[in-house]
Amino acid sequence: MLNIVVCVSGGGTNLQAIIDGIQNGAITNTRIQAVISNNPGAYALERAKAHGVEGVCISPKQYPDREAFNEAFLERLNRYRPDLIVLAGFLVVLPKAMTQQYKNRIINIHPSLIPSFCGTGYYGLKVHEGALARGVKVTGATVHFVDEGTDTGPIILQHPVMVEPGDTPKSLQQRVMEQAEWKILPQAIDLIANGKVAVEDGKAVLL
Ligand code: GRF
């Protein structure tokens, strides 16, 4: 059984895709230990509660400095002894100690085809604004392992999404979530839960 902790900051539609995936069998051999948010108002916490999953808020605002937050966040996370940490719309820079302790055991969903439109400053709607500003015809989403960098870890799965005439950042974000994010994040978790992903020479390979 793969015990996972899901870290969220907002609406939690990716968390919902994981909850639904476990319920409908798209995700096997997996249990959500807890949901941790940095944002007390995150609707994702409501989604966790509705499904009987422990939801916790650990916000940098509750601590005198970033160091104290990092320590409290990692201490709480460690209490669940997760096999995998899933960043699902999580907008907090992870403590270096965490990415080192959980090397190749943290995954993130990013709403573009990495290495396009990723890295510092590219999150949420800004990703889709960048794609539309560049005029790309195809975008998509990526699930990757998290390392010390921003959106730089080994890529596990990607899925393309067509940009359509008249798209706005909002309409594109919605299509990328529906057609890509909500499919490949559950798929990646199921692959990991069944031992079907390895990292070789810094690249993720599907076994
Ligand atoms: C999504 O666009 C996701 O790709 C990004 O955060 C946004 C909100 O995700 N990481 P969610 O609805 O909170 O899962």
Side-chain angles (χ1 to χ4, degrees):
M1 182 66 73
L2 187 79
N3 289 315
I4 69 173
V5 168
V6 185
C7 296
V8 297
S9 296
T13 62
N14 280 287
L15 168 67
Q16 191 64 53
I18 297 168
I19 291 169
D20 296 347
I22 291 172
Q23 283 190 333
N24 67 29
I27 302 177
T28 58
N29 197 27
T30 298
R31 178 172 176 273
I32 304 176
Q33 290 271 71
V35 171
I36 300 180
S37 178
N38 62 306
N39 168 10
Y43 188 66
L45 289 171
E46 295 302 315
R47 295 180 190 270
K49 196 169 160 203
H51 289 272
V53 175
E54 181 183 348
V56 179
C57 175
I58 300 184
S59 163
K61 297 193 179 87
Q62 296 163 331
Y63 296 90
D65 54 45
R66 176 58 65 162
E67 195 52 41
F69 166 74
N70 286 349
E71 241 172 76
F73 182 69
L74 191 51
E75 188 279 327
R76 188 59 185 258
L77 192 62
N78 288 339
R79 262 194 241 168
Y80 299 109
R81 302 171 63 76
D83 302 306
L84 181 72
I85 297 155
V86 180
L87 309 184
F90 191 57
L91 300 179
V92 170
V93 176
L94 300 186
K96 195 170 172 57
M98 178 178 162
T99 52
Q100 287 170 340
Q101 180 181 341
Y102 289 96
K103 186 172 172 54
N104 294 333
R105 289 201 291 150
I106 308 171
I107 63 173
N108 180 51
I109 177 80
H110 183 77
S112 75
L113 295 176
I114 288 176
S116 298
F117 312 112
C118 66
T120 307
Y122 279 111
Y123 57 89
L125 273 182
K126 293 178 188 297
V127 174
H128 307 291
E129 287 165 3
L132 291 173
R134 183 64 186 82
V136 297
K137 305 307 173 195
V138 181
T139 183
T142 302
V143 180
H144 62 94
F145 284 113
V146 174
D147 61 12
E148 285 74 35
T150 303
D151 303 328
T152 52
I155 291 171
I156 303 167
L157 290 176
Q158 294 188 298
H159 189 81
V161 174
M162 298 307 290
V163 179
E164 292 179 3
D167 259 333
T168 63
K170 212 71 183 118
S171 65
L172 187 54
Q173 177 181 53
Q174 189 61 31
R175 190 175 315 115
V176 169
M177 285 200 277
E178 286 170 2
Q179 295 184 6
E181 296 177 41
W182 300 343
K183 295 191 181 336
I184 62 174
L185 185 56
Q187 195 183 348
I189 294 169
D190 186 60
L191 287 169
I192 293 167
N194 292 286
K196 294 186 178 156
V197 179
V199 177
E200 293 166 5
D201 299 331
K203 290 186 180 51
V205 290
L206 303 188
L207 308 173

